[in-house]
Amino acid sequence: YANKVYDLRNNLTSSVTINFKMKLNKSSLDLTDLSIYSVENAYSSYTFIPREIVTIKNEHFDLRGNARYVYEDHYSIADGITSLNQMLEMDVKTKKQISIKTVNSIGNQEYGSVTYNKKFNFQNSVLEKTVYHYGINDSKVKQYTYGETIENRYDIRNRQIENITATFAMTLQSGGDNTNYLQYEHTYESMSISETREFDPSGKYAAKVYKRDYALTDEAKNSVSDVLDEKGKIKLTRGSDKFVASAEAFQEESGSYSLSQNFTSEGVAQNVLVSNYVMENGSRYYVDGSFKVSTLLEGLVIQTDTYDLYYDLKDETKIPDDFSDYKVSVVSKKKKNVLQDSDGNYLFDDFDNILE
């Protein structure tokens, strides 16, 4: 549920959104009556349970309507509020209860971020951005804690195939205002890269993904000038495949390769193989992993079977080239089932979390 404000060029300038869970009133309905699932009967068939309030403010739009600055704040639901109607008030123009009340009267500010979108591609996807994250401290005041320098790459279909994130700590300058993200020093700590090498047959979901974790090569060289070039981009070298080969301020330490298959319409992979590796002398050595099989019902996972794997080099004197150089063993199996009540209903809470 959202209230939105647009400018004269139809750019979204601000919004207040209430995220809620729709819970079917099973005890008072005939579940074989298909009409209860229709949009027209949503209000009578479901209970709306508020989960979170999110406010967004967009500023400094480019000529294509992309916001350069995005301010996002997250609020928990205030004590005593259990329904969506408690968070709404009468709209002056329509005389209907559709306006969201003042956010501070229905929620408690918890965390948020300021995002500076530096560059977009021709399809309006963000190529380069910096995100500054804050939390609410013990004095109930906003305080920034860390940030991220992010670079993305997309294929010709505008699907993200690479995400590079360099994370930095934020330390308040002497005499600075802790609510102003510009008054903090930045010291870089780590970098991660996610590479999508292949999509599933539908073309929607990432099927083969490498995740690579980097640490500082020299912890004393962690400043902005050590990590970023004069254009504000992360200092990187790319290989012939256009993916990252090395980073000037970071060295790769570990990572994983995941293969996901049998996606549901909601994008949940029912079979996921994850292989973890460490780096030694510039070479990748797989050490362990897991294979997880998920069983779903109505979009919810009701059972998982997880096989823990161990990777053993067939020839320890040889630098491995691919998975054929390993003997893979199953070291354990774990089965997890969602509990059921006496009527056979699976037990989830109002927000689809498994009840233990």
Side-chain angles (χ1 to χ4, degrees):
Y1 194 94
N3 287 163
K4 300 180 180 181
V5 178
Y6 296 85
D7 64 14
L8 294 177
R9 298 188 63 183
N10 205 36
N11 296 317
L12 177 65
T13 58
S14 65
S15 66
V16 180
T17 302
I18 301 174
N19 295 323
F20 57 86
K21 165 70 176 176
M22 294 176 64
K23 185 178 181 181
L24 187 64
N25 301 320
K26 294 183 178 180
S27 60
S28 58
L29 296 170
D30 177 6
L31 301 184
T32 63
D33 180 5
L34 297 182
S35 66
I36 67 173
Y37 304 103
S38 66
V39 175
E40 293 79 6
N41 292 324
Y43 281 98
S44 59
S45 301
Y46 291 84
T47 298
F48 297 80
I49 305 171
R51 303 180 65 167
E52 182 189 36
I53 308 166
V54 181
T55 66
I56 292 177
K57 182 171 68 172
N58 297 320
E59 294 182 349
H60 300 285
F61 295 91
D62 66 13
L63 294 178
R64 290 183 294 178
N66 298 309
R68 293 290 183 186
Y69 289 90
V70 179
Y71 302 84
E72 184 171 320
D73 303 307
H74 292 251
Y75 297 75
S76 59
I77 306 301
D79 292 341
I81 294 179
T82 58
S83 69
L84 182 62
N85 284 337
Q86 291 176 273
M87 309 176 75
L88 305 178
E89 62 186 1
M90 195 71 70
D91 180 71
V92 176
K93 293 181 179 180
T94 63
K95 303 300 182 182
K96 294 181 179 180
Q97 192 170 335
I98 58 173
S99 291
I100 298 174
K101 294 180 180 178
T102 304
V103 174
N104 288 328
S105 70
I106 56 176
N108 303 308
Q109 192 171 11
E110 301 288 350
Y111 66 95
S113 63
V114 176
T115 300
Y116 167 52
N117 294 315
K118 182 180 178 182
K119 187 177 181 180
F120 299 87
N121 67 7
F122 74 100
Q123 293 174 299
N124 300 321
S125 294
V126 179
L127 293 172
E128 301 171 27
K129 65 181 178 179
T130 304
V131 185
Y132 307 91
H133 298 272
Y134 76 82
I136 302 300
N137 62 23
D138 294 337
S139 301
K140 305 298 182 183
V141 176
K142 180 188 297 185
Q143 182 169 344
Y144 287 87
T145 54
Y146 75 100
E148 297 164 310
T149 300
I150 299 173
E151 297 179 10
N152 298 316
R153 195 157 60 90
Y154 303 84
D155 66 10
I156 196 169
R157 295 174 59 180
N158 205 35
R159 300 176 300 187
Q160 188 179 81
I161 57 173
E162 184 180 59
N163 169 268
I164 306 170
T165 301
T167 302
F168 54 84
M170 298 180 67
T171 305
L172 186 65
Q173 298 172 353
S174 177
D177 176 6
N178 61 343
T179 65
N180 187 342
Y181 68 97
L182 296 175
Q183 297 184 17
Y184 285 78
E185 301 290 345
H186 302 168
T187 53
Y188 281 86
E189 297 180 327
S190 62
M191 184 178 76
S192 64
I193 299 178
S194 177
E195 303 169 352
T196 297
R197 299 300 185 107
E198 188 175 307
F199 290 86
D200 80 315
S202 74
K204 296 179 180 179
Y205 310 116
K208 294 182 180 180
V209 178
Y210 277 105
K211 292 185 178 179
R212 305 162 64 185
D213 298 319
Y214 292 73
L216 287 165
T217 303
D218 183 346
E219 292 188 358
K221 296 182 178 180
N222 60 4
S223 67
V224 172
S225 60
D226 291 324
V227 176
L228 308 182
D229 63 20
E230 65 278 359
K231 295 182 179 180
K233 291 177 63 69
I234 303 169
K235 297 177 182 179
L236 302 169
T237 301
R238 294 186 177 274
S240 58
D241 60 358
K242 298 184 180 180
F243 287 100
V244 174
S246 63
E248 186 169 316
F250 300 95
Q251 60 183 358
E252 187 175 3
E253 288 198 330
S254 60
S256 66
Y257 166 74
S258 63
L259 174 62
S260 302
Q261 297 177 326
N262 298 329
F263 287 87
T264 67
S265 58
E266 294 84 9
V268 179
Q270 297 177 79
N271 299 329
V272 180
L273 172 66
V274 178
S275 303
N276 302 310
Y277 67 84
V278 296
M279 299 295 294
E280 289 186 11
N281 300 320
S283 296
R284 183 177 291 163
Y285 289 84
Y286 286 93
V287 290
D288 58 28
S290 64
F291 178 60
K292 184 168 73 172
V293 180
S294 300
T295 303
L296 288 84
L297 179 67
E298 297 179 358
L300 298 175
V301 177
I302 59 172
Q303 177 181 307
T304 57
D305 294 281
T306 303
Y307 302 83
D308 293 324
L309 308 176
Y310 175 72
Y311 292 74
D312 190 19
L313 271 175
K314 295 177 180 178
D315 183 354
E316 295 186 0
T317 64
K318 177 185 175 183
I319 297 175
D321 292 323
D322 53 38
F323 288 109
S324 65
D325 293 318
Y326 294 88
K327 178 183 178 182
V328 182
S329 305
V330 177
V331 294
S332 66
K333 177 186 176 183
K334 304 170 188 173
K335 180 186 289 287
K336 186 173 183 180
N337 294 290
V338 176
L339 297 176
Q340 295 175 272
D341 61 18
S342 57
D343 295 324
N345 298 311
Y346 291 96
L347 300 178
F348 296 90
D349 67 10
D350 290 337
F351 303 115
D352 293 338
N353 299 308
I354 297 172
L355 291 177
E356 302 290 347

